[in-house]
């Protein structure tokens, strides 16, 4: 199933627009989880980069420091066609930092450099702050603003974005080839396993959106605490659960497929089992690869959502999302946004 075919939760598109006409139209800042410790053998660098992938930045830092790429830590991958701020750590055992000014360039700025006690692990961020500029906007302004208000009040389906599925969306077919015996590199294997799990999750969420219960508690649901990976349930969907759902304290979940017992019960177990049968080759491949059953929230909370009209057809959006979610899933609930940099 293509991401373009996934059901929308808030109705038909209310706008058409273009994204990333310039690199400055897509800005992302990591929201950090901790402050530098002030001591240790890892130099914690806060970087602003333009038009550059995270891995390209990592290689530039490794070359500057004269260390292996494995000595560099980072919390998350960021888009190439954007202005992004994120942190890296570089292990310097002699605790003598190379000249930081040698890293400075028009497309690569060091915002701060502090000593820290340990390597920055993947996922060590609260979320990301986005500032997006939509150009060539077509649509009724009142309808667009009403949709934005609905998104702020109700959230959006927490779909995996098209970035998860690779250039041309062929990561799932490559995953099937891998499961059939095709040899792949270790880093490629991880990407393909993620794409396979994401396909199954999106298919479950698509069905929940069509049923209009993606943000509600249904008998048999398993719930996740907002801002964490902690899950509980199934439990009786009573007034307390309904209140917690309405306040974004908890979210219904869907499967990240792997070995182990499927946790939901009743109608939700039936639905997820049906999707698993539909994608039996992916599910079987994931289980044989050693992946374990996990859960992911079906609903994405869009925090601090604000907007301004820069011109009659230019709309600026700003919002915050938790780690592991996609700005494109917010935009698709507005309408048809052409990412001019996406192949």
């Amino acid at each position: 199933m293509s991401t373009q075919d996934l059901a929308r939760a808030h109705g038909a598109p209310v706008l058409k627009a273009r994204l990333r006409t310039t690199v400055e139209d897509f800005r992302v800042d990591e929201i950090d989880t901790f402050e530098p410790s002030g001591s240790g053998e890892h130099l914690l660098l806060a970087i602003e980069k333009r038009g550059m992938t995270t891995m390209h930045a990592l290689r530039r830092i490794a070359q500057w420091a004269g260390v292996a790429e494995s000595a560099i830590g980072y919390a998350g991958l960021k888009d190439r066609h954007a202005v992004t701020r994120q942190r890296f750590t570089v292990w310097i055992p002699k605790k003598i930092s190379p000249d930081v000014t040698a890293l400075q360039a028009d497309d690569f700025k060091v915002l701060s450099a502090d000593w820290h006690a340990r390597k920055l692990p993947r996922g060590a961020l609260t979320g990301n702050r986005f500032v997006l500029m939509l150009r060539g906007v077509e649509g009724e302004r009142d309808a667009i603003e009403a949709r934005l208000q609905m998104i702020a009040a109700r959230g959006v389906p927490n779909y995996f974005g098209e970035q998860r599925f690779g250039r041309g969306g062929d990561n799932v077919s490559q995953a099937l080839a891998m499961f059939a015996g095709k040899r792949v590199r270790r880093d490629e294997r991880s990407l393909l396993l993620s794409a396979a799990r994401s396909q199954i999750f999106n298919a479950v969420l698509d069905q929940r959106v069509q049923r209009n219960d993606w943000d509600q508690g249904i008998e048999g649901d398993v719930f996740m605490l907002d801002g964490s990976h902690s899950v509980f349930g199934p439990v009786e969907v009573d007034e307390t659960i309904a209140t917690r759902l309405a306040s974004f304290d908890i979210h219904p979940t869907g499967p990240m497929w792997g070995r182990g017992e499927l946790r939901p019960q009743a109608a939700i177990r039936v639905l997820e089992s049906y999707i698993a049968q539909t994608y039996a080759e992916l599910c079987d491949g994931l289980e044989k690869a050693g992946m374990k059953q996990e859960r992911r929230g079906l609903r994405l909370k869009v925090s601090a959502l604000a907007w301004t009209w820069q011109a009659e057809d230019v709309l600026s959006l700003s919002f915050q999302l938790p780690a592991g979610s996609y700005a494109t899933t917010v935009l698709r609930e507005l309408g048809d946004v052409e990412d001019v940099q996406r192949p």
Side-chain angles (χ1 to χ4, degrees), residues 210-232:
Q210 291 187 50
R211 291 160 38 135
N212 199 31
D213 61 16
W214 59 279
D215 60 346
Q216 302 171 32
I218 303 300
E219 182 185 2
D221 255 327
V222 174
F223 299 97
M224 178 172 285
L225 297 177
D226 184 59
S228 80
H229 297 290
S230 298
V231 298
F232 67 94

Side-chain angles (χ1 to χ4, degrees), residues 1 39 45 50 90 93 117 132 151 161 173-174 199 211 233 270 288 290 298 306 323 325:
M1 174 183 290
S39 63
L45 301 171
R50 301 162 58 86
V90 53
L132 311 180
I151 289 170
S173 61
Q174 291 187 46
Q199 181 82 344
R211 291 160 38 135
V270 172
K288 289 180 178 178
L298 296 179
S325 51

